[in-house]
Amino acid sequence: MKGKLFMIAVTGILALNQGCSQKKEESQESKKPLSLIVVEPGHFHAALVQKSMYADVDSVVHVYASEGPDVKAYLDKIDKYNTRAEEPTSWKEEVYTGADFLDKMLSEKKGNVVVLAGNNQKKTDFIKKSVDAGLNVLADKPMAIDAAGFDKLQEAFTSAEKNKVLLYDIMTERYEITNTLQRELAALPDIFGELQKGTPTDPSVVKESVHHFFKYISGEALVRPSWFFDVNQQGEGMVDVTTHLVDLVQWSCFPNVILDYKNDINLLSTKRTATKITPSQFKLVTKSDTYPDFLKKDVTDSTLNVYSNGELNYTLKGVHAKVSVIWNFQAPEGTGDTHYSIMKGSKANLIVRQGKDQKYKPVLYIETKEKGKVYEDAVAASFKSVQDKFPGIELKKNKAGWEISIPAKYDNGHEAHFAQVANKYMEYLKAGKLPEWEVPNMIAKYYTTTQALKQAKEKK
């Protein structure tokens, strides 16, 4: 009998300890300072923010959305991340769906960081209402797709400052290693010299990007929502991917410099063209048999015309820049999205190529204008400062100058950049502020893209 009572007592103590341990874990979880609210996740980027776990972020994510395939696709991706064999995530999704999802989110405020990646027609309004409610916002690009949206975005930044919250966009391309190193090398006068001013026909900075509607994400064929092909909802090419390119121009040419959009930007010329999508291509990427009514305005002889391509020539603080984006339907076998970038210095050009010769992987080159041993020794000495930041990178001599040899550990892929952006944003949240240049430069960036679109459309 005593033995039985002893066992009951031990069992009770173990249960109590287990309960205390569980409560301790729950308490530690609840003490995490950040909690995500995902609103109307209509783009796969919303899920990519959650491809990793974060030390300071609660595992419970509050999702508010309208019912339909978009939120289902998002939840399916989160489930795959939670159940994958290697490093599974442990997100717990608490989902509310209904037509009043935004009002519900704003009244409940169950988290403190709103993640927005979806229909861009609504996004700027969602941003403004979220910061007005005292919520931090991490938004996928673009945060504004037209001039009216730009005006509202400015109001949102003013509101964010007033309410002491941080509004930030997801600039993944800063974390692509060749872009990072191009910026680092441009800051070294012994290698690069001075950034040239260029001319309208020979710009000093050029950034070109080729994307594809049909692609594979996390190993699966991407299914895009039908509204993605409506420029009134997604935004034209001039204001969508071009956001990344304009950001890279600013970030690389004038690092940590506060830009004044009213005085530092001069639009010179703009151009917009359409990508043609056949009914069978549309079905392949959307799984929809027919064009929805909102796309019929863009259909000619059964072919859908999507204004996804844009080119912009402008000056930034007197430096001539050209950015362009092209959307094709599908990349040839063995290839993918590509990026080209050149920055022209007085001593060398810094060039990122991503073509056949590079096996469709971005490669950074230093193509020299200076010659001789003195310059080569100066390059080797100056390059050591970059090697200290990025151990393992090397200079590989070629006929035109050097190729930068980059260890595979730095090539973590586009999907991993979302966690890098999120971690940087969380550093800013912990500090309670963004770098002084970030907000004015976000404003300058969206002024550039939205005004370029306005100018291009007025030419018609």
Side-chain angles (χ1 to χ4, degrees), residues 9 41 58 110 170 178 194 219 240 287 309 328 347 383 385 408:
D58 197 298
K110 288 188 174 180
I170 301 175
T178 53
E194 292 183 2
D240 185 15
K287 307 304 179 190
N309 311 312
N328 296 321
K347 294 181 179 179
F383 192 72
S385 67

Side-chain angles (χ1 to χ4, degrees), residues 160-218:
E161 184 177 16
K162 177 185 171 185
N163 291 323
K164 294 182 170 53
V165 293
L166 303 188
L167 169 56
Y168 196 58
D169 60 354
I170 301 175
M171 290 290 99
T172 51
E173 291 306 305
R174 295 181 185 180
Y175 295 86
E176 203 291 311
I177 186 63
T178 53
N179 292 334
T180 304
L181 292 175
Q182 188 182 44
R183 181 183 192 245
E184 292 281 343
L185 294 174
L188 299 175
D190 284 349
I191 294 176
F192 184 63
E194 292 183 2
L195 179 64
Q196 300 299 283
K197 295 293 186 184
T199 68
T201 55
D202 183 24
S204 179
V205 184
V206 177
K207 295 188 182 292
E208 298 172 350
S209 188
V210 179
H211 287 256
H212 300 89
F213 287 116
F214 183 82
K215 63 174 71 175
Y216 288 87
I217 298 295
S218 299

Side-chain angles (χ1 to χ4, degrees), residues 12-270:
I13 290 168
L14 288 173
L16 182 64
N17 287 342
Q18 189 176 8
C20 289
S21 175
Q22 188 175 348
K23 283 181 180 176
K24 186 178 179 183
E25 285 179 18
E26 288 173 358
S27 173
Q28 287 174 338
E29 179 73 16
S30 65
K31 284 180 182 175
K32 292 193 174 181
L34 302 177
S35 178
L36 302 183
I37 303 172
V38 176
V39 176
E40 194 74 322
H43 196 289
F44 66 91
H45 288 175
L48 286 178
V49 171
Q50 292 175 244
K51 197 176 179 185
S52 305
M53 301 298 293
Y54 305 95
D56 291 329
V57 178
D58 197 298
S59 63
V60 177
V61 176
H62 301 279
V63 182
Y64 296 83
S66 52
E67 283 191 59
D70 288 1
V71 68
K72 184 182 182 303
Y74 156 78
L75 292 170
D76 286 347
K77 285 186 177 66
I78 300 302
D79 185 57
K80 285 184 172 67
Y81 298 152
N82 279 345
T83 56
R84 68 191 175 205
E86 292 184 18
E87 297 185 39
T89 52
S90 54
W91 300 109
K92 302 173 189 75
E93 304 282 301
E94 293 190 358
V95 183
Y96 174 85
T97 57
D100 63 340
F101 67 88
L102 185 65
D103 291 337
K104 187 81 169 171
M105 183 276 285
L106 293 171
S107 66
E108 293 184 343
K109 288 204 282 190
K110 288 188 174 180
N112 52 13
V113 177
V114 173
V115 176
L116 291 169
N119 192 310
N120 295 318
Q121 190 177 41
K122 307 168 186 175
K123 191 189 291 176
T124 315
D125 188 54
F126 291 171
I127 289 170
K128 176 69 164 55
K129 287 177 177 173
S130 297
V131 296
D132 285 348
L135 295 166
N136 300 289
V137 175
L138 179 63
D140 191 30
K141 60 81 196 154
M143 292 203 291
I145 62 171
D146 54 29
F150 171 74
D151 292 340
K152 181 168 281 192
L153 184 62
Q154 281 190 295
E155 293 171 11
F157 278 115
T158 301
S159 178
E161 184 177 16
K162 177 185 171 185
N163 291 323
K164 294 182 170 53
V165 293
L166 303 188
L167 169 56
Y168 196 58
D169 60 354
I170 301 175
M171 290 290 99
T172 51
E173 291 306 305
R174 295 181 185 180
Y175 295 86
E176 203 291 311
I177 186 63
T178 53
N179 292 334
T180 304
L181 292 175
Q182 188 182 44
R183 181 183 192 245
E184 292 281 343
L185 294 174
L188 299 175
D190 284 349
I191 294 176
F192 184 63
E194 292 183 2
L195 179 64
Q196 300 299 283
K197 295 293 186 184
T199 68
T201 55
D202 183 24
S204 179
V205 184
V206 177
K207 295 188 182 292
E208 298 172 350
S209 188
V210 179
H211 287 256
H212 300 89
F213 287 116
F214 183 82
K215 63 174 71 175
Y216 288 87
I217 298 295
S218 299
E220 294 187 344
L222 176 63
V223 178
R224 294 189 187 272
S226 296
W227 61 256
F228 185 84
F229 295 86
D230 181 11
V231 294
N232 292 335
Q233 298 183 67
Q234 174 61 21
E236 292 203 13
M238 193 78 80
V239 295
D240 185 15
V241 175
T242 309
T243 308
H244 281 306
L245 305 183
V246 172
D247 181 75
L248 288 175
V249 171
Q250 296 179 173
W251 183 72
S252 302
C253 296
F254 300 100
N256 308 330
V257 173
I258 294 173
L259 299 173
D260 176 1
Y261 79 92
K262 292 179 180 176
N263 296 310
D264 291 339
I265 298 161
N266 182 27
L267 296 175
L268 301 176
S269 65
T270 57

